[in-house]
Amino acid sequence: MGLFEDEFYSTKISRRASKTSRKQKMSGFPLRSRKDWGAGRLALLSGASGAAIVLVLALALGGGSPEAAVETAGTPAASGLVAPGDAIQQTVAASSKVRPAVVSVVNEQAAFLPQEQEGAEDGAEAPQDSADLQPASVGSGVIFAKKDGKAYLITNNHVIEGAAGLKVVLIDGETRPAKLVGGDYITDLAVLEIDGEGIETIAEMGDSAKLQSGEMVMAIGNPLGLGDSLSMGIVSKTKQIIPVSLSQDGNYDWEQEVIQTDASINQGNSGGPLIDMQGRVIGINSMKISDIGVEGVGFAIPVNNAMPIVDQLMKTGAVPRPYLGVYTLDLASYYAQQGLGGGVPDAEDGDAAAESPSSGGPKLPGEVTAGVIVLEAVGPASEAGLQFNDVITKLDDQSIGSTMELRKYLYGKKRIGDKIKVTFYRDGKPDAVTFKLQDKSEEEE
């Protein structure tokens, strides 16, 4: 990502020059020549060093559990467990297990036509056929199910956003047309359908709740359009909360829970799997931080969070959420824009273009410093009487200071059909209205 355009974020990170002293003080036991060491001491030291190496390898392969380390270290290879000397083979086996299920996703969009095609009526767009579509971007995906002769794969919603056509490239290079089953821009997940003939490998889903910091993982996908590619690292943090801009205007209006990893994730990796050392999918690669001085900070959507969304997309093609019907601008952003010539507003329920308030903006008492300005009210909000320049400060009894807080309360605490009380200010006076939340119709998308 940027959550969008492969979810790349630009962050401001303080730079501190770290200096490491090259001089180290020697303390403790006095140094002795090896000639002074007896054969018994050397043997004891060698044995202890060997045991320590075995223990470290066993810990790495046993998931960090001391019990698993003892069991692995004392168990012969014939038992079926991976011996320390087989660490490389474990990574090979894990990647081989899932790689055939990893695909490239090609987003095709209409090619630019400098002139209208002959025969097109004035003002009418010429019809587009497959020959007019050109690859606009490439991402990744992973096949997770096969049913009734069709194979289904997970990818990121931003990978397929704006596509006029979709194609999937299998690991052997075969290209197949793909159909969008459904997508959800809030969680940045989408499901595609392709012909399942000849597809035998279905990725096994793991349990992201069991991940541990320091656990080794691999990212598989199509970085930079290079095709089937692997990168390896560790889980830096099992649960990281990062702000995202759903409307891509630079204003954060949502938060995403992700797995942080230092496995290399680049443009094109989006939608591909993050797997553990047993070849199980534990995350969907989604974004990275891209900035000078920032390395090894990538993010994946936990598979435990992704699969309920995927299941809903398989059932209905969309994720139903309660619809309030307001396009908003954070009050703090409005105040900041007064000396900066305005800016692009946030949208609570969609991406409609709305003009920011003029210098004759909302009137508020001095104690009101946080809220969201209504730029446009539609659907249920309009029917309830909300208007341009109203400033929402509460939903039910929950204080609302930003569009992010509004969305989090609305999507996390309410359901379609629930009643909601909206407290707001109009012309400096407080008011409130209660109405039912609706589902968002296609006309309002």
Side-chain angles (χ1 to χ4, degrees):
M1 289 182 180
L3 240 180
F4 311 99
E5 295 295 332
D6 232 294
E7 285 319 340
F8 281 70
Y9 287 109
S10 178
T11 59
K12 298 296 183 182
I13 296 179
S14 60
R15 301 173 183 175
R16 299 178 180 178
S18 60
K19 299 181 180 179
T20 304
S21 173
R22 296 183 180 179
K23 297 181 180 180
Q24 298 179 348
K25 296 182 179 180
M26 305 298 294
S27 61
F29 295 103
L31 293 177
R32 296 184 180 180
S33 169
R34 283 182 295 176
K35 294 181 180 179
D36 297 334
W37 292 15
R41 290 184 180 181
L42 287 173
L44 181 60
L45 180 59
S46 299
S49 300
I53 292 172
V54 170
L55 181 59
V56 170
L57 288 172
L59 279 169
L61 296 173
S65 169
E67 293 79 8
V70 172
E71 181 180 0
T72 304
T75 305
S79 67
L81 296 175
V82 179
D86 295 333
I88 294 177
Q89 290 304 315
Q90 186 181 26
T91 62
V92 172
S95 61
S96 298
K97 178 179 177 181
V98 70
R99 277 177 60 204
V102 181
V103 302
S104 296
V105 178
V106 182
N107 179 325
E108 295 185 324
Q109 298 182 14
F112 174 72
L113 300 176
Q115 296 180 349
E116 292 183 347
Q117 295 179 0
E118 293 183 5
E121 297 180 2
D122 291 343
E125 294 184 359
Q128 297 284 344
D129 56 34
S130 59
D132 297 324
L133 301 182
Q134 299 294 330
S137 62
V138 179
S140 304
V142 58
I143 299 171
F144 71 96
K146 187 177 178 182
K147 181 181 179 182
D148 299 330
K150 302 293 183 181
Y152 297 90
L153 61 102
I154 306 170
T155 188
N156 286 140
N157 187 72
H158 75 267
V159 169
I160 56 88
E161 193 171 28
L166 292 165
K167 289 183 179 178
V168 163
V169 183
L170 305 180
I171 190 173
D172 61 2
E174 180 186 354
T175 300
R176 298 186 182 185
K179 174 185 175 183
L180 177 63
V181 175
D184 181 50
Y185 84 107
I186 297 290
T187 56
D188 194 32
L189 291 167
V191 175
L192 304 183
E193 173 189 289
I194 60 173
D195 183 7
E197 183 179 358
I199 294 177
E200 302 296 337
T201 303
I202 305 299
E204 178 185 355
M205 299 295 115
D207 186 353
S208 54
K210 294 182 179 179
L211 281 177
Q212 302 178 66
S213 295
E215 185 173 340
M216 299 181 72
V217 290
M218 285 187 288
I220 310 180
N222 181 19
L224 308 178
L226 298 175
D228 178 36
S229 180
L230 308 171
S231 61
M232 190 169 182
I234 62 169
V235 173
S236 304
K237 194 170 183 179
T238 59
K239 183 179 179 180
Q240 184 73 274
I241 304 298
I242 59 171
V244 297
S245 176
L246 296 176
S247 50
Q248 304 180 58
D249 60 4
N251 294 317
Y252 296 132
D253 48 16
W254 187 243
E255 288 182 335
Q256 182 83 290
E257 178 185 333
V258 292
I259 301 165
Q260 182 180 331
T261 177
D262 68 349
S264 296
I265 296 176
N266 292 291
Q267 287 184 333
N269 271 119
S270 288
L274 187 72
I275 68 170
D276 61 18
M277 289 300 99
Q278 284 70 48
R280 298 171 299 202
V281 177
I282 47 84
I284 303 298
N285 301 320
S286 185
M287 63 191 97
K288 69 175 287 185
I289 292 180
S290 179
D291 201 356
I292 297 174
V294 180
E295 294 182 5
V297 184
F299 302 108
I301 302 169
V303 72
N304 288 19
N305 294 6
M307 291 314 295
I309 302 297
V310 169
D311 291 342
Q312 184 65 53
L313 293 176
M314 289 285 286
K315 291 177 182 177
T316 63
V319 179
R321 290 189 177 91
Y323 179 55
L324 188 63
V326 290
Y327 296 94
T328 64
L329 174 70
D330 293 355
L331 187 60
S333 296
Y334 168 71
Y335 287 147
Q337 289 169 7
Q338 295 311 291
L340 300 176
V344 182
D346 294 330
E348 178 267 313
D349 286 309
D351 296 322
E355 298 297 328
S356 60
S358 64
S359 57
K363 298 178 181 178
L364 294 168
E367 67 272 14
V368 179
T369 58
V372 293
I373 305 171
V374 176
L375 301 178
E376 183 182 1
V378 297
S382 177
E383 294 171 6
L386 287 174
Q387 301 175 9
F388 170 74
N389 261 358
D390 288 348
V391 178
I392 298 173
T393 57
K394 282 187 179 182
L395 295 182
D396 295 330
D397 295 324
Q398 177 68 45
S399 295
I400 299 298
S402 66
T403 301
M404 181 186 294
E405 292 178 0
L406 186 148
R407 274 199 175 104
K408 287 176 66 177
Y409 182 80
L410 192 63
Y411 298 160
K413 302 296 184 180
K414 310 298 285 189
R415 298 291 180 267
I416 296 170
D418 287 353
K419 287 186 176 181
I420 190 168
K421 179 182 178 181
V422 179
T423 300
F424 61 95
Y425 281 81
R426 179 181 295 168
D427 295 328
K429 299 179 181 179
D431 202 349
V433 63
T434 300
F435 57 93
K436 278 188 177 182
L437 295 168
Q438 299 178 11
D439 193 1
K440 193 173 185 180
S441 67
E442 292 183 2
E443 292 77 14
E444 295 165 327
E445 291 291 343

